[in-house]
Amino acid sequence: MDLEDTLLMMPGPVPVAPRVLRAMSKPMINHRSAEFAGIYTDCREILSGVFQTKNNIFLLSGSGTAGMEAAVGSVAGPGDKVVAIENGKFGERFKDIAALYAEVVPVVFEWGLPVDLELVKEKLEEGAKAVTLVHNETSAGILNPAAEIGKLAKKHDALFIMDGVTSLGGDDVKVDEWGVDIAIVGSQKCLAAPPGLAVVSVSEKAFEFMNSVKKRPYYNDLKAYKKSGDKPRPETPYTPAIPLFYALQEALHIVKEEGMEARIKRHRVLTEAVRAAVAEMNIEMFPQLNEYSNYSNTISAMKAPASVNGEDIKNDMKKRGIIIAEGQERLKGKIFRIGCMGNVNARDVLSTIQQLEIVLNKRGYIDSVGAGTEAATHVIDRS
């Protein structure tokens, strides 16, 4: 397989712009220098707009999971209760991370089912220091009700910790308006940078809650990041992955040039085009929605047709140079997923749909090709 000709249409990593790759080849610099402080400050300022927040922002050398662990481990300890909402693989991960540091109160739904706010309310009424939510659950293609969870957390004086790993930078995420105390994004998703950086925004309330935690993580201690970030020459507490900071800065300049409103619209339109195409092929969306949930605006999760295994669809697409995703763990073989994250464009989506139609035609599921591509084109053209 020619990697340079392979199209990534998965929920991250995503294709990276050539100018971002070139940025990574810059010379190494002193991470305690004014030059690095300038890069760090520039990234934080642009990210404030992406997060729509006035809260502190920190960059951690690690994946989005590192940001999740930093968030929970910095604010919760033995004896603290954390309400963990799960309706997919990454909600489960958040729950498992929280269990390493505190007493977890799980609110679990079958993967792909919507969050029942009444059940969350009941658990918060019993008392909790924090509540965790995956905003955009890519394992199931469902967008969870962050604004409503934020209201419940505020009412019950609990911190709201939100995994925005696959929504920030590609969807309308209002950290301050929703009352998110700690929000996390990964560099390799909608920000369209290489993997390896986690960005975390932290409210003053969250820092106050940290004072009662005696044993926080060492490397991912958010108080340590604040101490270093508040210096006259801002820095990270430990040696950062400097090439990744170069890359993220360049990727964020691309975000700024496009503008968040236009970027969000592009993600939504292209994901809607995918949904229109698969509907034309009589393929059902996987998640079930209620009045508070929506389909993801950065990835589409579809049920594999009864006659075709989701893993076979993924493998057939890979042979044709397009990388999509199948289901994870209990959903393996049952669903397949197409991402529309980062710098994805209309040509990428239409190429993916065209090849998907050919795959499904060869598998005997559809009789002819073209209807799905036409449906996707219609959505894109009218935008």
Side-chain angles (χ1 to χ4, degrees):
M1 183 174 66
D2 187 341
L3 294 179
E4 291 192 359
D5 289 333
T6 298
L7 177 59
L8 293 178
M9 296 294 288
M10 55 188 283
V14 302
V16 174
R19 60 190 266 198
V20 173
L21 293 175
R22 288 194 295 269
M24 295 179 71
S25 66
K26 293 179 182 179
M28 289 301 97
I29 57 175
N30 178 2
H31 60 291
R32 304 299 182 210
S33 66
E35 290 80 9
F36 181 79
I39 294 169
Y40 194 29
T41 299
D42 187 31
C43 289
R44 295 167 83 188
E45 288 176 352
I46 298 173
L47 285 162
S48 292
V50 174
F51 279 68
Q52 299 186 53
T53 186
K54 295 180 181 178
N55 291 338
N56 287 272
I57 287 182
F58 309 109
L59 280 70
L60 287 62
S61 294
S63 69
T65 303
M68 295 166 76
E69 184 157 26
V72 176
S74 295
V75 301
D80 293 327
K81 290 185 178 180
V82 175
V83 172
I85 302 169
E86 174 193 339
N87 64 342
K89 171 62 181 176
F90 297 100
E92 179 187 66
R93 180 175 298 183
F94 229 160
K95 179 187 68 178
D96 292 345
I97 291 171
L100 296 175
Y101 294 93
E103 178 185 341
V104 168
V105 180
V107 185
V108 179
F109 308 95
E110 186 55 52
W111 293 6
L113 291 184
V115 172
D116 184 336
L117 293 176
E118 283 300 316
L119 289 179
V120 177
K121 179 183 175 183
E122 288 176 13
K123 297 300 181 182
L124 285 171
E125 286 175 347
E126 296 173 6
K129 190 172 189 179
V131 55
T132 64
L133 175 77
V134 175
H135 180 217
N136 189 53
E137 181 56 80
T138 53
S139 68
I142 191 168
L143 193 65
N144 287 319
E148 287 75 15
I149 296 298
K151 292 176 184 176
L152 288 174
K154 182 178 181 180
K155 181 178 180 181
H156 295 90
D157 196 31
L159 292 176
F160 179 22
I161 306 175
M162 187 186 79
D163 170 343
V165 170
T166 57
S167 55
L168 278 154
D171 204 347
D172 193 17
V173 181
K174 302 177 180 180
V175 167
D176 286 357
E177 183 177 320
W178 295 349
V180 183
D181 292 291
I182 305 181
I184 307 123
V185 70
S187 57
Q188 79 277 22
K189 308 291 185 177
C190 299
L191 297 178
L197 292 178
V199 183
V200 183
S201 71
V202 187
S203 71
E204 290 301 322
K205 179 180 177 181
F207 282 119
E208 291 173 7
F209 275 50
M210 289 180 203
N211 293 329
S212 63
V213 181
K214 296 180 179 179
K215 292 185 178 180
R216 296 185 299 274
Y218 185 90
Y219 186 76
N220 289 325
D221 180 3
L222 292 178
K223 288 198 76 173
Y225 273 86
K226 179 171 173 54
K227 181 179 179 180
S228 295
D230 284 349
K231 291 181 178 180
R233 181 182 289 176
E235 59 186 29
T236 57
Y238 313 109
T239 306
I242 292 172
L244 296 181
F245 275 77
Y246 286 147
L248 179 61
Q249 183 185 33
E250 194 63 32
L252 289 172
H253 285 175
I254 292 173
V255 171
K256 188 175 181 180
E257 290 161 14
E258 181 177 16
M260 278 305 300
E261 184 177 348
R263 192 175 186 85
I264 291 166
K265 180 181 179 182
R266 174 170 56 83
H267 279 79
R268 287 181 172 174
V269 168
L270 296 179
T271 305
E272 183 183 343
V274 172
R275 292 201 298 266
V278 297
E280 194 65 33
M281 290 182 262
N282 294 315
I283 294 174
E284 292 182 62
M285 298 299 294
F286 172 68
Q288 298 179 37
L289 307 181
N290 63 11
E291 61 182 307
Y292 298 109
S293 58
N294 289 286
Y295 292 125
S296 166
N297 288 311
T298 62
I299 187 169
S300 301
M302 286 74 64
K303 295 180 181 178
S307 59
V308 187
N309 186 284
E311 186 174 8
D312 290 336
I313 295 174
K314 183 197 76 170
N315 291 336
D316 287 353
M317 292 289 284
K318 182 179 180 180
K319 292 175 184 176
R320 310 186 77 84
I322 299 176
I323 307 300
I324 64 171
E326 61 170 318
Q328 295 173 282
E329 295 187 6
R330 71 186 74 169
L331 298 179
K332 190 176 181 66
K334 298 179 181 179
I335 68 172
F336 65 101
R337 299 173 293 148
I338 297 175
C340 288
M341 293 182 185
N343 297 318
V344 65
N345 57 39
R347 181 180 60 188
D348 298 332
V349 169
L350 294 177
S351 296
T352 300
I353 297 303
Q354 288 168 351
Q355 296 303 320
L356 178 62
E357 288 191 286
I358 293 171
V359 164
L360 292 176
N361 176 254
K362 287 182 175 293
R363 288 277 175 181
Y365 180 69
I366 58 175
D367 297 328
S368 60
V369 300
T373 303
E374 184 177 349
T377 303
H378 178 69
V379 172
I380 293 168
D381 286 348
R382 77 180 186 214
S383 67

